[in-house]
Amino acid sequence: MEPINNAFTTADHHLHTRRALRTLVQYEIDVIKAYEHGLRHLSDPEVFEIWSRAKADNERHVLELSEIMRALGEAPPLFRSDARGLAMDAVAEITGRMSPTHALRSAGRLAKRLARRYEQAMDWDLPLEVVANLQANEADIRGHIAWFDGASVLSPR
């Protein structure tokens, strides 16, 4: 009877891991889509380039986490915004139209929320390989936050 309990616990654990990763990947996708809205309103090529690199990091996170999900037998979410993401897109579009400074501040807030999601993910009971990936991704996000915080002092156009 003990092996059945262990098998159930293992299956349960993988289900928890897959659900947790699905939520995190979807939030990353929502941030990427919102960044796309903000980037459309930038005229400074240097700011555009650095912000685009941050977005590329997020895209890499989605790809890597999606591969982990597939290895666990879970299909990753489609690369589109969910309801929360659509709201994030609208805010990014509005702040982008206001000024580059507003767009950068909005993006910085999104990055901070994403970092909090990664902090929460560290509390999940996940396999060591997944935790290592999450730690690397969180470090990228912390770098983005530092840049957004520094870039937000730019004057509006």
Side-chain angles (χ1 to χ4, degrees), residues 23-35:
T23 300
L24 188 58
V25 169
Q26 184 60 58
Y27 201 81
E28 282 264 20
I29 291 168
D30 292 341
V31 168
I32 292 164
K33 295 295 188 178
Y35 282 4

Side-chain angles (χ1 to χ4, degrees), residues 71-129:
L72 294 171
E74 177 80 8
L78 298 175
F79 199 81
R80 63 179 182 217
S81 297
D82 62 5
R84 175 193 53 232
L86 293 173
M88 290 164 59
D89 293 350
V91 169
E93 185 66 31
I94 292 167
T95 59
R97 288 181 182 188
M98 291 170 68
S99 75
T101 299
H102 284 94
L104 288 164
R105 286 183 185 146
S106 178
R109 284 190 298 272
L110 290 175
K112 287 174 185 171
R113 285 188 205 132
L114 182 56
R116 280 194 298 274
R117 296 232 175 203
Y118 272 98
E119 286 171 7
Q120 293 167 348
M122 298 304 167
D123 292 336
W124 302 334
D125 183 26
L126 298 173
L128 187 58
E129 299 84 7

Side-chain angles (χ1 to χ4, degrees), residues 6-21 68-69 71-74 125-127 129-130:
N6 286 341
F8 178 73
T9 303
T10 301
D12 226 21
H13 179 70
H14 285 301
L15 178 64
H16 171 74
T17 300
R18 292 191 317 253
R19 284 183 182 162
L21 289 175
I68 292 169
M69 290 177 70
L72 294 171
E74 177 80 8
D125 183 26
L126 298 173
E129 299 84 7
V130 176

Side-chain angles (χ1 to χ4, degrees), residues 9-63:
T9 303
T10 301
D12 226 21
H13 179 70
H14 285 301
L15 178 64
H16 171 74
T17 300
R18 292 191 317 253
R19 284 183 182 162
L21 289 175
R22 173 172 286 285
T23 300
L24 188 58
V25 169
Q26 184 60 58
Y27 201 81
E28 282 264 20
I29 291 168
D30 292 341
V31 168
I32 292 164
K33 295 295 188 178
Y35 282 4
E36 289 171 355
H37 284 274
L39 281 163
R40 284 193 286 227
H41 299 284
L42 293 179
S43 57
D44 184 314
E46 183 180 345
V47 173
F48 183 88
E49 180 185 334
I50 296 170
W51 191 351
S52 293
R53 279 190 258 147
K55 182 174 111 9
D57 283 343
N58 292 101
E59 291 168 339
R60 180 177 42 79
H61 299 166
V62 168
L63 289 173

